[in-house]
Amino acid sequence: MGNQIPALPRPVYIPSLTASLDVIRFLLRQGLCFHGYDESSTSFNKGNFLELLEWYTSKNKYVGKVVGINAPQNNLMTCTSIQKEMTNACAVETTLLVLNDISDKCFTILVDESRDSSMKEKMAVVLRYVNKCGEVIERLLGVVHVKETSSQCLKDSIDALFAKHGLSLSRLRGQGYDGASNIRGKFKGLKTLILRENPHAFYVHCFAYQLQLVIIAVAKGSNKIVGDFFTLVTMIMNTSGASCK
């Protein structure tokens, strides 16, 4: 009797937490936004998260009894901070699955940087690798905010991201970027800085960018209307981006 292994406690089922997490997982899988313009109780469209949660509870009477207006005001599980925490937990678990799938294999990185709506520079890093079934897989590793788009700053951000997830630059076998000078510069570009540490990380100008450049060049040269369209779009974007409003 003294050698019996004690039974593990059963996981606690919290309907409000489970319902919110189910809704968040669905929105993340579909790539949908969470919030609405007006999330008040009288709004006709409170946003995807609250509207889907309300539909979810209406279809499950057991959950509906303890969620929403029936839940204690300190246990609604719908505030913005709770949504962010659960979303981050999903992101962490997803990233762990990707890293476990890569294991000790070699991989390639695809990187692009741009400004978000708040005019802050951000860099998206995608891993490209071959899984156990011989399939080529591309998975987003993370989006990192960078202070500037200089090659050294981008390199430092990639190093920090690799260190965070336990990835080694020595297993890098390819780099895929656009053709900007800070990226493909022969002496101080990002690809050059990485090649100095790992000469096996060959750089390839992203084929999607090459195709885009070809389409724009052909369209501008063969059709004046299309050429004027691209010119006007560029002017509008520059004006809107520079406007203080």
Side-chain angles (χ1 to χ4, degrees):
M1 295 295 291
N3 295 328
Q4 287 184 349
I5 300 176
L8 295 176
R10 290 186 177 182
V12 179
Y13 176 70
I14 305 177
S16 57
L17 175 61
T18 303
S20 295
L21 184 58
D22 287 344
V23 171
I24 286 176
R25 290 175 62 187
F26 175 81
L27 295 176
L28 291 175
R29 180 179 291 273
Q30 298 301 117
L32 300 174
C33 60
F34 281 47
H35 303 292
Y37 179 76
D38 181 6
E39 296 187 352
S40 62
S41 58
T42 57
S43 174
F44 290 102
N45 188 353
K46 304 180 184 67
N48 290 329
F49 176 79
L50 293 179
E51 290 290 344
L52 187 57
L53 182 62
E54 184 176 332
W55 174 86
Y56 182 93
T57 55
S58 68
K59 298 297 181 181
N60 191 320
K61 294 181 180 180
Y62 174 71
V63 175
K65 292 179 180 179
V66 292
V67 175
I69 60 176
N70 298 321
Q73 293 302 307
N74 62 346
N75 193 31
L76 294 176
M77 293 295 177
T78 59
C79 67
T80 302
S81 59
I82 293 295
Q83 294 179 41
K84 288 182 178 180
E85 289 179 8
M86 287 192 284
T87 300
N88 182 66
C90 292
V92 170
E93 291 298 322
T94 302
T95 303
L96 287 177
L97 288 175
V98 174
L99 295 176
N100 290 334
D101 193 26
I102 294 177
S103 184
D104 58 349
K105 305 182 187 71
C106 296
F107 57 89
T108 296
I109 58 171
L110 306 175
V111 176
D112 191 18
E113 18 76 36
S114 63
R115 291 183 180 181
D116 58 17
S117 57
S118 62
M119 304 303 291
K120 294 182 179 179
E121 296 289 346
K122 60 183 180 180
M123 177 180 65
V125 180
V126 174
L127 299 181
R128 180 181 173 93
Y129 62 97
V130 179
N131 64 8
K132 297 178 181 178
C133 300
E135 300 170 330
V136 178
I137 305 296
E138 291 183 358
R139 293 289 184 265
L140 175 67
L141 180 62
V143 178
V144 183
H145 287 276
V146 293
K147 296 180 180 179
E148 56 184 8
T149 57
S150 65
S151 57
Q152 188 60 56
C153 184
L154 297 178
K155 172 65 165 53
D156 294 340
S157 299
I158 292 176
D159 287 341
L161 188 64
F162 275 26
K164 176 182 177 181
H165 296 295
L167 295 172
S168 174
L169 197 66
S170 62
R171 291 195 282 129
L172 190 62
R173 290 296 180 269
Q175 309 176 63
Y177 317 125
D178 59 17
S181 58
N182 63 326
I183 296 294
R184 63 181 301 180
K186 185 176 181 180
F187 300 103
K188 296 183 179 181
L190 173 61
K191 63 104 173 178
T192 303
L193 296 179
I194 293 180
L195 283 172
R196 288 174 182 171
E197 295 188 27
N198 181 4
H200 304 293
F202 298 103
Y203 163 74
V204 177
H205 189 182
C206 178
F207 290 154
Y209 279 107
Q210 294 186 46
L211 178 61
Q212 178 188 12
L213 294 174
V214 170
I215 292 176
I216 293 177
V218 172
K220 283 185 176 181
S222 60
N223 192 315
K224 186 177 183 302
I225 297 177
V226 175
D228 293 340
F229 168 77
F230 281 110
T231 302
L232 290 174
V233 169
T234 303
M235 294 171 61
I236 293 173
M237 291 296 295
N238 291 337
T239 303
S240 302
S243 173
C244 60
K245 296 183 179 180

